[in-house]
Amino acid sequence: MNMLVDNYNRTFPYLRLSITEVCNFSCSYCLPNGYQKDHEKSFLRQDEIMRLVNAFVELGVWKIRITGGEPTIRKDFTEIAKMIGEKSEITKLAFTTNGYKLREKAAEWRDAGLNAINISIDSMNAKKFHDITGHDRMQEVREGIEKALEVGFEDVKINVVLLKGVNDDELDAYLEYVKDTPVSVRYIELMQTGDNLTYFNKYHQSADYVKDQLIDRGWVENIRQIGAGPAVNFTHPDYKGSIGLIAPYSKDFCTGCNRLRITSTGDLRLCLFGNVGIPLRHMLQSDDQKDDLKAAISKQLDYKASSHFLQDGNTGIMTNLSSTGG
Ligand code: SAM
Ligand code: SF4
């Protein structure tokens, strides 16, 4: 079996595929003014997506996360999931969502073949949730999470972007939530992007702030599994769920990198914070381009850098996470 390998011996079985930049929320750290349509963009079509997926499968990819923007905003989201889900080589088919319509659509999406889901919920307090996202939907999103569990998503994760003075006092509320709910709450350290420097300086909080409180409360850091993602996981025997910390500014964050990204217009991004997007779309126009496409992707791995150098303020060409695919 082919496998994508870079110069640092990292392998890439995992693809994050953005299918749109559009989003209906206006999260303060991502799209504070909502999605702005500056000019008409055409996002990858279904046939282009499948050519990409077919090539990546032949290069050893077995996990795909569909993301955006808000991926579920696309009218053909379920169809896209179904097409990818039909590929038996893709054993993990995940998506990341703000939870909009999850309550109504969880069963449909599970039936389409999606088996893992990350839902963003930055506050357990309805007013704060509204302030952060621009939407008064905390309760609805929580009901969506219940529904996702009920219809059999195997892997349910909750994403929380840690914000100083905004939600960094809410650990106990999340702990209460995971007491009886078998989900993994993952605190993500706020990342600097091209658009959010002032915001970043004001609200960045280190993941250690949460880590110290977890340890004080008797939570234990799990031994990292080989091939595990970037989260450091904590568990406690009295709780059904777990807490993860994603600290992109920590030393060695990039050593375990196992993912590549495709933007919604078909550029390959070797790193979320990379300086180049490698256009692949022109190689997605007919099935007989597959070998060229595979060769182009493999070749690019030679240029994948060892680290994102985010700690030096390098944000690459990424303006916000909705444009690159979070
Ligand atoms: N719209 C979906 C959502 O919000 O879950 C998927 C796309 S969103 C860009 C993916 C994840 O990136 C979300 O969990 C979001 O909170 C996170 N995110 C966005 N901007 C971020 C930033 N500057 N730093 C850290 N996480 C960020
Ligand atoms: Fe939309 Fe997700 Fe960005 Fe929030 S984080 S504005 S939901 S893309």
Side-chain angles (χ1 to χ4, degrees):
M1 151 82 90
N2 261 328
M3 198 22 112
L4 290 164
V5 186
D6 74 359
N7 291 337
Y8 304 91
N9 248 336
R10 296 175 297 192
T11 55
F12 298 90
Y14 177 16
L15 182 69
R16 293 174 86 111
L17 175 66
S18 176
I19 58 170
T20 184
E21 280 182 20
V22 180
C23 186
N24 55 337
F25 278 26
S26 42
C27 300
S28 50
Y29 48 79
C30 181
L31 294 174
N33 303 313
Y35 176 72
Q36 305 290 317
K37 193 163 145 188
D38 41 9
H39 57 278
E40 203 58 56
K41 269 200 180 154
S42 100
F43 302 118
L44 290 172
R45 301 182 310 264
Q46 291 181 18
D47 60 314
E48 294 171 320
I49 290 174
M50 282 323 289
R51 289 191 187 105
L52 254 177
V53 169
N54 288 334
F56 273 103
V57 161
E58 290 185 18
L59 292 168
V61 164
W62 55 264
K63 173 174 176 183
I64 292 183
R65 173 175 304 282
I66 308 175
T67 184
E70 176 50 38
T72 66
I73 284 278
R74 255 184 85 149
K75 291 204 168 59
D76 58 353
F77 174 71
T78 304
E79 265 174 87
I80 292 171
K82 209 174 202 156
M83 284 181 341
I84 303 176
E86 274 164 11
K87 295 214 63 87
S88 59
E89 298 90 342
I90 300 298
T91 49
K92 192 145 183 185
L93 182 55
F95 69 119
T96 305
T97 177
N98 59 26
Y100 181 73
K101 297 271 188 230
L102 179 60
R103 193 176 54 186
E104 291 77 19
K105 298 277 210 169
E108 176 182 317
W109 293 335
R110 180 71 187 95
D111 287 347
L114 290 153
N115 50 26
I117 177 170
N118 283 21
I119 305 134
S120 300
I121 177 159
D122 292 325
S123 178
M124 295 302 251
N125 171 298
K127 179 175 180 308
K128 277 196 217 171
F129 182 95
H130 186 186
D131 290 347
I132 298 170
T133 63
H135 280 253
D136 190 12
R137 294 184 188 271
M138 188 207 69
Q139 192 51 36
E140 183 185 316
V141 175
R142 284 183 62 162
E143 287 168 21
I145 298 169
E146 296 306 317
K147 196 79 197 170
L149 288 165
E150 199 181 298
V151 301
F153 275 91
E154 294 148 19
D155 195 357
V156 178
K157 293 186 178 136
I158 311 296
N159 287 355
V160 183
V161 178
L162 182 61
L163 301 169
K164 189 196 274 175
V166 178
N167 64 4
D168 60 353
D169 58 348
E170 289 195 45
L171 179 62
D172 286 325
Y174 285 102
L175 292 184
E176 196 184 312
Y177 185 64
V178 298
K179 182 119 183 85
D180 298 310
T181 315
V183 298
S184 171
V185 168
R186 290 128 44 91
Y187 277 101
I188 308 172
E189 253 184 44
L190 178 65
M191 291 179 262
Q192 185 189 331
T193 65
D195 277 353
N196 79 358
L197 180 61
T198 315
Y199 186 96
F200 173 83
N201 287 335
K202 186 162 176 202
Y203 294 111
H204 177 261
Q205 172 68 283
S206 161
D208 282 346
Y209 183 77
V210 175
K211 183 178 175 175
D212 294 344
Q213 294 179 57
L214 284 170
I215 292 168
D216 281 351
R217 287 163 174 72
W219 286 68
V220 175
E221 183 176 334
N222 294 1
I223 294 165
R224 278 174 84 83
Q225 308 285 326
I226 296 168
V232 177
N233 282 307
F234 288 78
T235 48
H236 189 294
D238 300 340
Y239 292 74
K240 286 203 177 127
S242 62
I243 303 282
L245 301 179
I246 301 181
Y249 292 89
S250 68
K251 184 169 108 4
D252 295 339
F253 182 77
C254 302
T255 50
C257 183
N258 63 354
R259 71 238 8 234
L260 296 172
R261 292 168 193 270
I262 297 287
T263 68
S264 56
T265 50
D267 283 8
L268 172 67
R269 294 280 171 88
L270 297 170
C271 172
L272 189 51
F273 300 96
N275 281 319
V276 275
I278 302 111
L280 298 178
R281 198 167 195 173
H282 60 286
M283 285 184 266
L284 302 177
Q285 301 313 311
S286 90
D287 292 342
D288 55 21
Q289 290 174 296
K290 187 159 70 181
D291 288 341
D292 291 343
L293 176 63
K294 280 167 58 185
I297 297 167
S298 302
K299 174 105 201 64
Q300 285 302 324
L301 266 285
D302 287 345
Y303 303 108
K304 186 165 161 71
S306 62
S307 162
H308 51 39
F309 303 110
L310 204 54
Q311 57 280 15
D312 304 330
N314 167 49
T315 58
I317 52 174
M318 197 247 288
T319 48
N320 54 59
L321 258 72
S322 107
S323 70
T324 305

